Amino acid sequence: MKLFTPKAIALLVTLLGCSTTYAGESLADLQTAATNGNAAAQTTLGIDYLKGDGVTQDYGKAQEWLEKAVAQDNPDACHALALMYTYGQGVTKDLNKAIELYKKAGPAQHGDAWNNLAVIYAQGLNGQPDPTLALKYYQLAADAGNSESQAVIGWRYATGDGVPKNTRKAFQYYEKSAALGNPKGQALLASAYDDGIGVKRNDALAAAWYKKAADNGDLSAMNNLGVMLTDGEGVKQDYVKARFYLEQAVAKDSAEARTGLGYLYLNGLGVKKDYYKATELYSTACDRGVADACATVKEMKAKKMYRVRSASASASTTTQRLIAKSIDDGVNATFTWQGDDATFKANGHAVDCSFLKDFSEPGGNLATSFVCTGNVQIVLKQFKTTKNAYIAVTTNNFKDEVKSFAVNVYTVETSAAN
């Protein structure tokens, strides 16, 4: 079971761009064809000037060539000129003119023109929102192949928003959107597999699609994938990867992800147990309205695990950073460790690591272990009698040693907040 239930996702669709439509052999050939009245060449030349693609960006020339193509009813030209009026690029911003051109463009650019109309009506960018017209154009855009609108229409069918509820249709639109690489479509497809909405539940496929969406920047997918990796739901349990995705979501200011990350710190999963960090994460999530986080804060207080740093403890103090540099011939590697976090760099590649455990041995030798991103583990071993040290790079839960080499270990003083 997940640590939190995904909330309804509000889909905010941005106005999309456009691509060229004419393949001339050279700029001179393109200009000749455009001058001779070829609408596709005029459109391509106008878009090139609009984008500064192969020519110096010039909105005036872009408008001139696009208007010639619009006069010949070229749909891509209508769409491109509509964008200029939408954003006020080289022209006075005029959404009424943009709407007129988007309607004339119709299914141009795989439904992008209709999608942009839907956004204007849905958000009331030109007056009051018009849900009926927004739905009409979202549907037209989705059926013309626009991945953003496909995600929106899928969500409408899943929730019964403006259309009869039909989870099977929702799933079909999610599939289309996800196949086109849309992050929101991928996240919604994952949630359908996750909850068995419109399709038989499949945790493995849910995790796979959450990963695609998370790697494409979708916040809800980062949250849910982090939870699935924590629980081993549909995917091999991996606390380090869970932390990686949850931290990305926290960096994007997700309250729910703070709950998932707090769970790792509270229980010492993939990180050193840290009640202070857990308290901070859960408390912030609770303040943002996450009920599960509030319940955990209450439980932590009852079990005397709730920890808040005092003002003096938060002040800047001098701490030590350990640095281990390779001394083997032909090896360029550095391991830097401070607090719970460490970084291992070798031959231009780097992985982030987290402190796992210290192992004391007879004779005062110390072996310190770390778990890193990319299924990498590090063992830093120091020998008290000889003052020598080496690093072992391992995988497969410390079972397989990939590389080991001698290092020179030293510490430096640094100012940091405790």
Side-chain angles (χ1 to χ4, degrees), residues 4 219 223 245-247 249-250 254-262 281:
F4 59 88
L219 180 58
N223 287 335
Y245 284 106
L246 290 169
E247 283 182 338
V250 168
S254 166
E256 288 83 0
R258 284 176 167 81
T259 301
L261 191 58
L281 288 163

Side-chain angles (χ1 to χ4, degrees), residues 303-314:
K303 294 182 177 180
K304 302 188 183 306
M305 295 186 293
Y306 189 83
R307 301 280 192 278
V308 178
R309 301 184 195 278
S310 64
S312 59
S314 299

Side-chain angles (χ1 to χ4, degrees), residues 11 13 16 110 115 138 141-155 169-190 209 212-213 216 218:
L11 291 168
V13 185
L16 306 180
H110 305 290
N115 177 85
Y138 275 134
D143 293 342
N146 181 274
S147 65
E148 293 280 354
S149 285
Q150 287 167 346
V152 173
I153 289 297
W155 181 254
K169 275 191 175 182
F171 177 80
Q172 291 169 348
Y173 277 108
Y174 293 160
E175 276 192 313
K176 293 176 181 179
S177 179
L180 291 172
N182 185 278
K184 189 58 63 183
Q186 291 170 339
L188 289 168
L189 182 61
W209 280 108
K212 288 180 184 290
N216 281 331
D218 184 83

Side-chain angles (χ1 to χ4, degrees), residues 15 85-86 92-103 116-130 133:
L15 295 175
Y85 280 107
T86 300
T92 302
K93 185 174 179 179
D94 187 339
L95 281 180
N96 286 324
K97 183 68 174 177
I99 289 171
E100 175 188 333
L101 287 163
Y102 283 134
K103 289 179 177 179
N116 293 353
L117 276 173
V119 173
I120 290 171
Y121 287 124
Q123 299 183 9
L125 299 180
N126 199 39
Q128 292 296 318
D130 190 327
L133 281 177

